[in-house]
Amino acid sequence: MSFENQAAWQPGPRADLEIKTAPQYIPEAGEILIKNQAVSIQPFDARIRAEAYVNVPYPFILGSTIAGTVEVVGPDVTAFKVGDRVVSDTPTYAHKESTKWGGWQKYVVSKAATTAEIGHADFDQAVALPFALLTAVAALHLYLGVEKLGEGLAKEGEKVLIWGAGGSVGGYAVQYAKSVGYSVIATASPRGFERLKELGASQVLDYRSQDVISQLKSLGPFKYAMTASGDGASQLAIAEILQPVGGKFASTLGGDVDIPSNVERVYGPFSQATQKLQFKDFADWWYRQYLPKVIKENLVEPTPVEKRAGGLAAIQRAADDIATGVAKKKLVLNPQE
Ligand SMILES: NC(=O)c1ccc[n+]([C@@H]2O[C@H](COP(=O)([O-])OP(=O)(O)OC[C@H]3O[C@@H](n4cnc5c(N)ncnc54)[C@H](OP(=O)(O)O)[C@@H]3O)[C@@H](O)[C@H]2O)c1
């Protein structure tokens, strides 16, 4: 099969994107070629584009969550057939040696093992979900030990704290913790209070208020805690809330933060969890059961989506709007435009 491929290439660190021809890839064993009809821009992608936040070999094609139709299946792939509508997480940042995984192009290779079938769901809605939802669920379940949905529930009255829950990861973390039975306390800016209560938080506090730490201490103890914003101030705040007993919390960001010795900060590439062999069973559950069900049955309230026109040529502006905080919604583009 022959097709013309184009990509938004990043030629060097912090350089502007260039729209140019890209290779016509042939999927190998375990892989599929997807006609990319929706890509969501993540803060992670945007920071690599603008700040060279992670080392990548240039010229490179960024982006790792896409939705579209299966064009070609690799030699041994049985889970998908040509024409299937899918959403996929590509190993762009785990296998940086090839540009075939990059989401900012028209035709993308992905692994069948990290692809989910989405039925008739809208590509734009489907593509907005997986990265941030996986970050939240992996942090809570795989890294902290919160129950897996369908395999256990919290005990009556047990509490989870989600700090900085106003964004995408935070909203999903609130919903996941609630779905397995926890009473969820969140912090956010006041404009997000109502939405977070609708998502299941029993109380939402302003993380900027003077007495937020003492208020949260009196609302605890928390069986699990996570900062979804990941900033250093939030890490120190949670470490303080966990005193005097100590404990552990998950953070979406690392950084050089002076955490007390009785507190463990759990930080990792949560969004990439399904690319790791050690989490293969989780990945099977995620792509074959949980994610298709969530998407087809609207099981979680998605982060509000903003569709941007302009295809590949509009990605640079969209990524900059994410990196600078101008965009308040999850930005989605169609590379075929
Ligand atoms: N480790 C990983 O695998 C992983 C994966 C995905 C994302 N991340 C990181 O996780 C963070 C959140 O990602 P996202 O996709 O949810 O971003 P997002 O949707 O853009 O959300 C950002 C939200 O964080 C809140 N926030 C910002 N600064 C804050 C602060 N100082 N204190 C408390 N809350 C603050 C804001 O909420 P208010 O409007 O309420 O102020 C903002 O809306 C980003 O830094 C991202 O790079 C890490």
Side-chain angles (χ1 to χ4, degrees):
M1 181 212 153
S2 167
F3 56 90
E4 192 187 321
N5 193 16
Q6 276 197 316
W9 289 89
Q10 179 141 17
R14 300 175 201 83
D16 286 352
L17 299 178
E18 293 175 0
I19 311 305
K20 289 202 301 205
T21 305
Q24 296 183 7
Y25 311 107
I26 297 168
E28 297 174 16
E31 299 174 357
I32 53 177
L33 181 76
I34 299 169
K35 181 176 182 181
N36 185 7
Q37 296 181 92
V39 60
S40 55
I41 313 293
Q42 309 303 331
F44 187 63
D45 306 317
R47 288 190 65 191
I48 300 176
R49 219 263 348 122
E51 305 164 22
Y53 173 59
V54 164
N55 284 330
V56 295
Y58 296 101
F60 197 65
I61 304 173
L62 298 165
S64 66
T65 305
I66 62 157
T69 43
V70 176
E71 286 288 303
V72 183
V73 295
D76 63 346
V77 172
T78 54
F80 298 99
K81 60 183 187 315
V82 172
D84 280 351
R85 303 175 85 256
V86 296
V87 68
S88 192
D89 292 315
T90 65
T92 309
Y93 306 114
H95 296 300
K96 293 183 249 181
E97 67 284 355
S98 175
T99 58
K100 68 184 178 183
W101 317 110
W104 295 2
Q105 61 189 323
K106 290 188 174 185
Y107 290 86
V108 181
V109 174
S110 193
K111 293 184 189 172
T114 58
T115 300
E117 194 266 318
I118 60 167
H120 299 294
D122 181 65
F123 287 133
D124 297 342
Q125 292 298 326
V127 82
L129 270 170
F131 192 95
L133 182 62
L134 175 58
T135 301
V137 178
L140 291 172
H141 168 62
L142 288 177
Y143 285 77
L144 282 185
V146 171
E147 289 76 0
K148 190 176 181 184
L149 187 66
E151 292 180 8
L153 284 175
K155 293 195 193 84
E156 176 80 29
E158 285 183 324
K159 296 174 187 170
V160 167
L161 168 64
I162 309 294
W163 186 286
S168 200
V169 173
Y172 292 134
V174 167
Q175 293 184 72
Y176 186 77
K178 176 75 181 170
S179 74
V180 288
Y182 288 92
S183 170
V184 184
I185 319 276
T187 74
S189 294
R191 66 169 176 270
F193 284 14
E194 202 176 316
R195 178 170 182 270
L196 285 163
K197 284 185 181 157
E198 283 166 14
L199 298 183
S202 56
Q203 295 198 55
V204 190
L205 280 64
D206 184 348
Y207 59 81
R208 294 185 185 88
S209 75
Q210 293 287 326
D211 61 348
V212 64
I213 291 178
S214 61
Q215 282 192 65
L216 285 167
K217 269 179 172 279
S218 67
L219 288 169
F222 300 101
K223 184 161 184 202
Y224 299 105
M226 171 177 180
T227 162
S229 52
D231 58 288
S234 68
Q235 296 180 29
L236 288 173
I238 294 180
E240 176 62 32
I241 290 159
L242 292 174
Q243 299 302 326
V245 178
K248 66 178 177 181
F249 69 94
S251 176
T252 52
L253 298 178
D256 191 12
V257 181
D258 198 8
I259 307 282
S261 58
N262 65 349
V263 176
E264 181 192 351
R265 176 185 72 184
V266 182
Y267 161 66
F270 306 126
S271 64
Q272 308 299 308
T274 53
Q275 307 293 345
K276 291 182 193 288
L277 211 52
Q278 73 186 105
F279 297 133
K280 187 185 173 305
D281 289 350
F282 173 80
D284 286 347
W285 170 75
W286 184 262
Y287 294 103
R288 301 291 164 256
Q289 294 180 48
Y290 183 73
L291 189 58
K293 195 172 165 67
V294 162
I295 291 174
K296 291 177 190 173
E297 298 177 20
N298 299 317
L299 286 192
V300 303
E301 184 61 33
T303 307
V305 170
E306 179 184 337
K307 175 75 183 283
R308 290 266 176 107
L312 295 172
I315 289 183
Q316 163 123 14
R317 171 72 190 278
D320 288 350
D321 286 352
I322 296 278
T324 55
V326 169
K328 296 293 177 209
K329 296 182 178 174
K330 184 62 73 188
L331 299 186
V332 171
L333 299 99
N334 179 354
Q336 304 299 325
E337 283 179 7

